[in-house]
Amino acid sequence: MKRLISIGVSLAILLLIYWQIDFAELLQVFRQSDRLWLAVSLGMVVPLTGFTAWRLQQLMPASPDTTQGLDFGESNRLILAASSLNMVLPSKMGDIAKAYFMRDRGHLTGSLALSLVVFEKACDMLSLLLWCVFGLLLYPAKDWLFWGMTVSVATGLVLGLLLLGSPGFAQFFFKRAHQIAPKKLKLKINKLSYSWKEMHDYFWGDRRRLSLIAGTSIFIWFLHLLQIWLFTLSLRADVPFLANLALSPLAILAGLLPLTFAGVGTRDAALIAFYQPYMPAAVGAALGVLTTSRYFLPALGGLPFLGQYLKLAQEIRMSSK
């Protein structure tokens, strides 16, 4: 039911956007786009998936009977299938299925496998916030709204770094969250707290692995933001790269709000609003379409592998009831 509501909200926002934009003008934007840059920017999905799969390999320890816990091809299939599952199942079930598969493949405990995925997602979020703060600090045209967003994003970054780097602060945070959370969320917070502690013990016991994963995550998110800037080039919009470092993460963060299906609608509206100084609304809407393709192309690529992991995800949902 929640998924149907989110799809409805996405459709409502898109209808509002396209009601205000001449659809013929939007089509004209794509007709006049630079086909070479469009191909290059869309093609970046391939190396981005590859780097993300390589990071997943480094996250997972070697199993006792193999030299490596997860081979590169298998890691790619798992990343693509998780993208597909996240599109069709609620609550990021694809990432949870990824944790269960890592448990079975690497002979890990379930909590450790979940903690590895938690750490992967935490690194992604902190890397996105890091680039956003960097871009916002250098963004020249800051009014009170952008200063407020700069402070908010920087606060989120500091809080995330404290959660990741300080076991004491993390324990205090989860304890307070448990006290004020609704009854339905208390069990999930307890599980997350336990996984977070196990993640601390695992990664802070190996500083080399910690540095490798953190550095790779920052580089991966640089490529994500570079891809969006290449989208603007393909649409023949003149957007400074440093401005893109500030604006594109804000739009991505807007898409993470739990209101819409895969961020569709909220992310599109944010792109039109934030990039308004550099492009008309029709070009901003086209940028929204291309940015959404970053999520749908990997999901399409994961369809051939979806059967195996969908069965696993269903088993997870049944066992959690």
Side-chain angles (χ1 to χ4, degrees), residues 55-268:
R55 182 183 62 177
L56 184 61
Q57 280 187 285
Q58 309 313 308
L59 276 168
M60 187 166 166
S63 60
D65 55 343
T66 60
T67 57
Q68 195 169 30
L70 197 67
D71 66 53
F72 186 67
E74 196 170 47
S75 182
N76 269 282
R77 291 191 294 271
L78 187 54
I79 292 293
L80 292 171
S83 298
S84 300
L85 288 172
N86 284 336
M87 286 290 179
V88 299
L89 294 176
S91 304
K92 292 292 184 180
M93 190 62 69
D95 292 321
I96 299 174
K98 188 164 60 178
Y100 273 69
F101 181 81
M102 290 169 67
R103 177 201 66 182
D104 296 338
R105 179 66 176 81
H107 309 289
L108 309 174
T109 63
S111 58
L112 178 56
L114 181 59
S115 74
L116 299 186
V117 173
V118 167
F119 181 74
E120 180 189 33
K121 296 295 106 181
C123 281
D124 276 335
M125 177 57 71
L126 291 179
S127 298
L128 176 62
L129 293 177
L130 177 66
W131 283 115
C132 189
V133 169
F134 178 77
L136 283 171
L137 289 175
L138 298 178
Y139 189 65
K142 282 198 287 289
D143 53 14
W144 64 270
L145 177 61
F146 272 88
W147 276 115
M149 288 188 290
T150 302
V151 172
S152 299
V153 173
T155 301
L157 176 61
V158 172
L159 177 63
L161 289 173
L162 286 172
L163 283 170
L164 202 63
S166 171
F169 180 82
Q171 184 178 10
F172 169 79
F173 177 85
F174 286 117
K175 183 177 180 181
R176 293 293 299 164
H178 184 272
Q179 290 173 346
I180 64 176
K183 189 175 181 179
K184 289 183 178 180
L185 293 179
K186 289 185 183 292
L187 181 60
K188 290 184 178 180
I189 291 174
N190 284 339
K191 288 182 178 180
L192 181 58
S193 176
Y194 183 82
S195 296
W196 202 269
K197 181 179 182 304
E198 192 163 10
M199 176 267 293
H200 268 288
D201 295 339
Y202 177 77
F203 283 102
W204 284 100
D206 187 346
R207 300 296 178 89
R208 188 199 67 82
R209 185 192 297 268
L210 176 68
S211 300
L212 177 65
I213 300 300
T216 303
S217 299
I218 293 171
F219 177 66
I220 287 172
W221 271 99
F222 173 80
L223 293 181
H224 279 298
L225 303 181
L226 174 63
Q227 182 187 33
I228 296 176
W229 184 66
L230 293 178
F231 285 153
T232 68
L233 291 185
S234 72
L235 297 174
R236 303 186 187 278
D238 187 15
V239 181
F241 182 68
L242 288 179
N244 181 76
L245 285 181
L247 301 176
S248 54
L250 289 175
I252 292 172
L253 291 172
L256 295 178
L257 296 173
L259 301 172
T260 56
F261 172 70
V264 175
T266 48
R267 185 173 52 246
D268 298 76

